[in-house]
């Protein structure tokens, strides 16, 4: 790995690292915020998954989370949203291809050669973090929009892996909305039964559990409710008695103005779960 950025921030360090991914077969970047406590002891980790068109840069430059991560002693790892590079398949549309990996393992060509974001997130990145950074192995996950879909889906598929989950404006039922249907058809093929394992609503409906979870949705979000369908998951979680809190915020949209307004509450929510003995 090569460190390509390092900035002092609230007594800790905001870093960006580049590495050759054995799973994605391309060069990748991820961001790590090391709180000041990490200089003396292992700390828990919060993984962040960004949305369509984003990279590891969006959270670290727009959300203002570092102040709270420093106070709470939480390492924050933000990964990219897809494989990148000239040899990686792409599409001219903004909601497909590079920048739009949907955190799944593609099965269709030409995507299957590189678009294995689920394996990258659940296998390669945690191994790199454990090997190179002072983590105590307690971890949580959060995300925005497509990344909210990823955070919920990965937690549902891996019971016990995370102490908590949170999401801003997540795509909760990708099989039922245009964004998800386009991506799933392209990456997974037209057999909709192959989509189910990547759909948070289907996973929750079929008995997959969640740890304590916080979901925030802005009511001025132009993608709500047609693309995000938040209430579908809320109704399911109520029926299944899953420990999920849904909050709806008048006037807030889909942007990082929304995320930065509530990121402190999300960090404190995760810190409480990560520090339980």
């Amino acid at each position: 790995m090569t460190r390509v950025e390092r900035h002092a921030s609230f007594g800790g360090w905001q870093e960006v690292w580049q590495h050759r991914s054995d799973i994605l077969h391309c060069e990748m970047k991820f961001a790590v915020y090391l709180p000041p406590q990490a200089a003396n002891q292992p700390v828990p980790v919060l993984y962040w998954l960004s949305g369509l068109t984003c990279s590891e840069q969006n959270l670290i430059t727009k959300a203002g989370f570092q102040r709270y991560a420093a106070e709470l002693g939480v390492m924050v790892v933000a990964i990219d949203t897809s494989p990148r590079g000239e040899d990686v398949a792409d599409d001219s549309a903004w909601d497909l291809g590079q920048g739009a990996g949907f955190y799944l393992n593609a099965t269709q060509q030409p995507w299957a050669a590189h678009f294995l974001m689920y394996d990258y997130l659940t296998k390669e990145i945690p191994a790199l973090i454990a090997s190179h950074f002072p983590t105590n192995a307690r971890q949580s996950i959060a995300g925005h929009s497509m990344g909210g879909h990823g955070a919920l889906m990965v937690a549902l598929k891996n019971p016990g892996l995370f102490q908590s989950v949170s999401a801003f404006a997540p795509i909760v039922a990708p099989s039922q909305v245009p964004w998800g249907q386009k991506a799933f058809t392209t990456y997974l093929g037209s057999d909709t039964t192959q989509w189910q394992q990547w759909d948070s609503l289907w996973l929750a409906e079929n008995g997959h559990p969640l740890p304590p979870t916080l979901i925030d949705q802005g009511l001025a979000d132009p993608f709500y409710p047609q693309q995000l369908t938040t209430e579908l998951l809320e109704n399911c979680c109520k029926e299944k008695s899953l420990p999920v809190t849904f909050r709806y915020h008048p006037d807030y949209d889909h942007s990082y103005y929304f995320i930065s307004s509530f990121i402190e509450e999300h960090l404190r929510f995760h810190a409480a779960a990560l520090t339980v003995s």
Side-chain angles (χ1 to χ4, degrees), residues 65-87:
F65 74 90
Q66 289 92 343
R67 176 190 300 271
Y68 313 113
E71 174 192 341
L72 298 165
V74 176
M75 184 190 312
V76 179
V77 175
I79 71 169
D80 204 348
T81 52
S82 79
R84 305 274 183 177
E86 294 182 1
D87 297 331

Side-chain angles (χ1 to χ4, degrees), residues 179-270:
W179 276 344
Q181 291 168 345
K182 180 178 182 179
F184 284 8
T185 300
T186 301
Y187 298 143
L188 304 171
S190 58
D191 181 359
T192 57
T193 63
Q194 300 302 309
W195 301 2
Q196 294 170 344
Q197 64 175 309
W198 310 107
D199 188 298
S200 295
L201 179 62
W202 186 90
L203 291 166
E205 288 176 339
N206 284 272
H208 291 248
L210 278 170
T213 300
L214 173 63
I215 295 176
D216 278 336
Q217 176 60 58
L219 294 179
D221 188 326
F223 305 115
Y224 169 80
Q226 286 80 13
Q227 295 276 21
L228 306 177
T229 61
T230 318
E231 285 83 0
L232 292 180
L233 184 62
E234 182 177 18
N235 293 335
C236 175
C237 290
K238 288 179 179 177
E239 179 182 336
K240 299 293 185 179
S241 299
L242 295 175
V244 184
T245 298
F246 289 81
R247 307 191 306 183
Y248 296 87
H249 304 276
D251 302 325
Y252 284 91
D253 58 23
H254 200 71
S255 71
Y256 268 80
Y257 295 107
F258 172 42
I259 294 171
S260 63
S261 297
F262 298 100
I263 195 69
E264 177 183 0
E265 295 175 30
H266 282 241
L267 263 291
R268 295 192 184 281
F269 169 77
H270 289 297

Side-chain angles (χ1 to χ4, degrees), residues 44-185:
V45 181
L46 174 63
Y47 290 96
W48 174 268
L49 310 182
S50 289
L52 289 165
T53 75
C54 295
S55 71
E56 81 288 341
Q57 290 289 323
N58 293 73
L59 177 77
I60 67 175
T61 58
K62 295 181 178 181
F65 74 90
Q66 289 92 343
R67 176 190 300 271
Y68 313 113
E71 174 192 341
L72 298 165
V74 176
M75 184 190 312
V76 179
V77 175
I79 71 169
D80 204 348
T81 52
S82 79
R84 305 274 183 177
E86 294 182 1
D87 297 331
V88 176
D90 200 6
D91 191 275
S92 59
W94 64 272
D95 55 356
L96 195 66
Q98 294 187 34
F102 271 81
Y103 304 101
L104 51 74
N105 287 342
T107 59
Q108 304 299 299
Q109 295 299 342
W111 312 98
H114 297 281
F115 279 68
L116 303 171
M117 288 298 292
Y118 176 79
D119 282 353
Y120 179 68
L121 170 60
T122 59
K123 297 177 181 178
E124 190 166 12
I125 283 291
L128 288 174
I129 298 303
S131 297
H132 296 278
F133 301 95
T135 171
N136 64 9
R138 292 183 66 81
Q139 56 188 8
S140 294
I141 192 167
H144 170 229
S145 193
M146 178 185 71
H149 141 73
L152 290 165
M153 176 268 291
V154 170
L156 284 159
K157 286 171 67 69
N158 296 275
L161 186 60
F162 301 105
Q163 271 64 56
S164 54
V165 182
S166 74
F168 291 88
I171 305 169
V172 304
S175 297
Q176 300 185 39
V177 300
W179 276 344
Q181 291 168 345
K182 180 178 182 179
F184 284 8
T185 300

